[in-house]
Amino acid sequence: MTKPLITHLRHVAIAAPDLDRQLTFYRDLWGLTHTESDTGVHFLAAEGSPEQYVLRLRRADDKRLDLVAFGAASMEDVDALAVDLARKKVQIVHEPRKIDTPGGGYGFRFFDGDGRVVEVSSDVATRDFRTIEERESIPVRLSHFVVNSNDPEATVAWYVDHLGFKLSDTLCLGPRGDFMWFLRCNDWHHSFAVSRAPYVAVNHISFEMRGVDEYLRGTGRLLREGIQKVWGPGRHKAGDNTFSYFMDKAGNCVEYTTELETVDWDQHHPSVYDVTVPDNIDQWGTANLMNEFVAKQMHNDPDRGVFVAPPL
């Protein structure tokens, strides 16, 4: 089966009133590299990633998601996707054009089915990056982005039908039904996922570490610094990746992970994992229980950025 025109997850852009605390958290504690700032917008890179930046921070009156950005292989693919989305009556924020952010490139923005702003771009200059050393507990790359939706089945269908994503696996809560869907745009088990929640919001942003040792060292560093842990450390069944979830200074949930599974695009068949079976949610049995506290943090606050285009 033909893969989607989208090739990978590039970056996530978030905004919050207290920009200084957010910047300090992600730069000095989380382990990202502050590369550029322009009129109050700050760009942070992962040392092991060729992406110019994996996280963009901005000051705003309300906490919100500004956008999620994906990559495409060529300008022709960007144009083709833009034409297809316009034909499907998707609301376009701006047509394909030169992008005036670090690395440049060519791309366009549009609203997804829930009202989030999505950017797709190509021809972005790569950043000099390096191999993360043994025991160096900083992110290698942006791993995946998970959103909340009050109509998750429709959101999943939108990303499959409009952007060509493919379902990898689903989580369910026993007889209460499905609550999380993992979607892929390449061979990683998931770059994007959708969770059932009372409203549209950010669920969590996940960053890949070098290996299990580095992942645990990063987890330990944050615990020693008194950063609020939400859930973990543990190892999921779907995706087979490790997890440690913490809260950033604006109340967003962020994750350290590693060893996310890769799957065959054509041959992988989705499974449904019942998380009331302990091994399905944490293979190691080391994490705290997935309870109302965990759910509350991951539900986050309602997203104030829905159907509001951020500054370009």
Side-chain angles (χ1 to χ4, degrees), residues 4 88 153-168 182-184 192:
K88 294 176 178 176
E153 290 88 352
T155 304
V156 170
W158 195 95
Y159 276 83
V160 170
D161 296 341
H162 290 75
L163 300 186
F165 282 55
K166 202 168 185 179
L167 178 68
S168 291
F182 299 98
L183 301 174
R184 67 187 187 277
F192 189 75

Side-chain angles (χ1 to χ4, degrees), residues 132-138 209-219 221 256 258:
I132 304 302
E133 300 295 333
E134 186 177 351
R135 299 191 174 187
E136 192 176 8
S137 55
I138 61 174
M209 308 295 273
R210 179 182 184 273
V212 172
D213 183 81
E214 292 75 21
Y215 148 79
L216 286 172
R217 288 175 182 272
T219 298
R221 180 180 68 254
Y256 277 157
T258 197

Side-chain angles (χ1 to χ4, degrees), residues 19-270:
L19 175 63
D20 292 339
R21 293 185 74 207
Q22 280 286 78
L23 181 59
T24 297
F25 172 83
Y26 283 106
R27 180 191 59 206
D28 299 343
L29 294 177
W30 198 251
L32 298 179
T33 299
H34 187 203
T35 60
E36 292 193 43
S37 61
D38 180 19
T39 62
V41 179
H42 296 263
F43 302 92
L44 296 103
E47 281 294 299
S49 170
E51 291 294 331
Q52 289 285 335
Y53 57 99
V54 296
L55 186 69
R56 195 191 80 181
L57 301 177
R58 184 178 66 85
R59 180 177 285 108
D61 292 337
D62 297 310
K63 180 176 73 171
R64 52 173 282 173
L65 171 69
D66 273 345
L67 62 87
V68 53
F70 297 98
S74 67
M75 295 172 65
E76 291 77 14
D77 285 352
V78 170
D79 286 337
L81 183 59
V83 169
D84 185 59
L85 293 183
R87 180 180 60 83
K88 294 176 178 176
K89 308 301 183 184
V90 171
Q91 186 176 349
I92 305 298
V93 176
H94 72 71
E95 299 290 341
R97 68 189 190 194
K98 181 180 178 181
I99 297 176
D100 188 21
T101 48
Y106 179 78
F108 74 115
R109 292 179 181 176
F110 52 91
F111 290 109
D112 74 5
D114 282 333
R116 299 176 196 85
V117 177
V118 181
E119 178 182 281
V120 176
S121 63
S122 70
D123 295 81
V124 178
T126 57
R127 175 181 181 270
D128 289 338
F129 64 101
R130 63 182 178 83
T131 300
I132 304 302
E133 300 295 333
E134 186 177 351
R135 299 191 174 187
E136 192 176 8
S137 55
I138 61 174
V140 175
R141 66 179 185 95
L142 180 62
S143 175
H144 56 270
F145 180 51
V146 181
V147 300
N148 294 327
S149 176
N150 56 350
D151 190 358
E153 290 88 352
T155 304
V156 170
W158 195 95
Y159 276 83
V160 170
D161 296 341
H162 290 75
L163 300 186
F165 282 55
K166 202 168 185 179
L167 178 68
S168 291
D169 290 306
T170 303
L171 301 182
C172 76
L173 277 165
R176 295 169 60 185
D178 297 343
F179 79 95
M180 184 172 282
W181 295 257
F182 299 98
L183 301 174
R184 67 187 187 277
C185 58
N186 50 40
D187 291 336
W188 292 108
H189 179 270
H190 58 282
S191 297
F192 189 75
V194 181
S195 182
R196 188 184 304 280
Y199 39 72
V200 174
V202 171
N203 184 285
H204 71 270
I205 309 169
S206 181
F207 298 81
E208 178 86 12
M209 308 295 273
R210 179 182 184 273
V212 172
D213 183 81
E214 292 75 21
Y215 148 79
L216 286 172
R217 288 175 182 272
T219 298
R221 180 180 68 254
L222 292 175
L223 290 173
R224 288 169 178 166
E225 291 290 339
I227 303 302
Q228 183 182 16
K229 178 175 71 72
V230 176
W231 192 24
R235 188 169 199 130
H236 293 311
K237 191 67 170 283
D240 197 34
N241 55 305
T242 63
F243 65 90
S244 291
Y245 298 90
F246 293 89
M247 300 301 289
D248 74 9
K249 296 302 182 179
N252 298 303
C253 192
V254 287
E255 179 190 30
Y256 277 157
T257 190
T258 197
E259 298 187 346
L260 179 65
E261 180 184 13
T262 57
V263 299
D264 184 274
W265 180 262
D266 294 315
Q267 299 301 319
H268 177 77
H269 296 288

